[in-house]
């Protein structure tokens, strides 16, 4: 089993707010990310797939194909968008990096199987100091 990773990047706006909480409680729990007039992050997305090497190419999967799938299913929907308002798979959800990782996994899982590999990890780096990884469960 060999693991390969493709990195993609996107810039997007969001805020972390629960409408059923007061502004004070949102600020207490979510800090600066609850600021009402939005803010942005330059996100880095690392998608790791795993599989056996193809005997003809020695590839697990063609990373160019992996990139095309990620761009079509995920990056095109997120880049220069508002995660809370514009992104179909994030509608009605808190735009935490955790939820983003889980929802991006759902967007990619089947498509990666069609490339004859298996999704292993969705990692999202929100800031230099914070990243989230999701392994499917
Ligand atoms: Ni934020």
């Amino acid at each position: 089993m060999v693991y390969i990773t493709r990195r993609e990047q996107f810039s997007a706006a969001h805020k972390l707010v629960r409408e059923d909480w007061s502004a004070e409680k949102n600020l207490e729990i979510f800090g600066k990310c609850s600021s009402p007039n939005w803010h942005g992050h330059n996100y880095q997305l690392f998608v790791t797939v795993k599989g056996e090497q193809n005997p003809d190419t020695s590839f697990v999967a063609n990373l160019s194909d992996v990139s095309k799938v990620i761009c079509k299913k995920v990056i095109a929907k997120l880049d220069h968008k508002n995660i809370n308002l514009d992104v179909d798979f994030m509608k009605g959800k808190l735009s935490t990096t955790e939820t983003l990782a889980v929802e991006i996994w759902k967007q990619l899982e089947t498509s990666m199987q069609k490339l004859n590999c298996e999704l292993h990890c969705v990692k999202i780096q929100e800031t230099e100091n914070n990243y989230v990884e999701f392994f499917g469960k």
Side-chain angles (χ1 to χ4, degrees), residues 19-133:
E19 300 296 341
D20 56 335
W21 288 357
S22 66
E24 293 74 25
K25 184 161 184 188
N26 276 301
L27 182 61
E28 179 196 331
I29 302 297
F30 296 127
K32 286 193 291 187
C33 273
S34 73
S35 182
N37 288 332
W38 315 102
H39 64 279
H41 297 281
N42 295 315
Y43 292 91
Q44 298 202 62
L45 169 65
F46 299 83
V47 175
T48 302
V49 298
K50 61 188 174 186
E52 299 301 333
Q53 290 174 271
N54 179 313
D56 296 325
T57 63
S58 94
F59 287 163
V60 170
N62 188 321
L63 276 172
S64 166
D65 294 337
V66 171
S67 173
K68 279 182 201 154
V69 168
I70 301 168
C71 288
K72 183 175 169 206
K73 298 263 179 175
V74 175
I75 301 297
K77 294 180 178 180
L78 283 164
D79 191 34
H80 288 73
K81 298 287 171 57
N82 182 313
I83 298 171
N84 297 57
L85 301 179
D86 300 331
V87 181
D88 56 358
F89 61 80
M90 291 297 290
K91 280 271 157 65
K93 301 183 169 80
L94 268 175
S95 58
T96 59
T97 313
E98 288 88 335
T99 296
L100 208 45
V102 171
E103 296 304 317
I104 288 173
W105 177 285
K106 292 179 192 168
Q107 297 302 307
L108 295 177
E109 188 174 22
T110 307
S111 300
M112 292 307 164
Q113 287 163 358
K114 288 179 187 158
L115 297 178
N116 294 320
C117 56
E118 190 183 340
L119 190 54
H120 174 68
C121 178
V122 170
K123 171 180 163 181
I124 303 173
Q125 183 130 23
E126 188 192 55
T127 69
E128 277 188 21
N129 297 324
N130 297 340
Y131 68 82
V132 165
E133 293 171 298

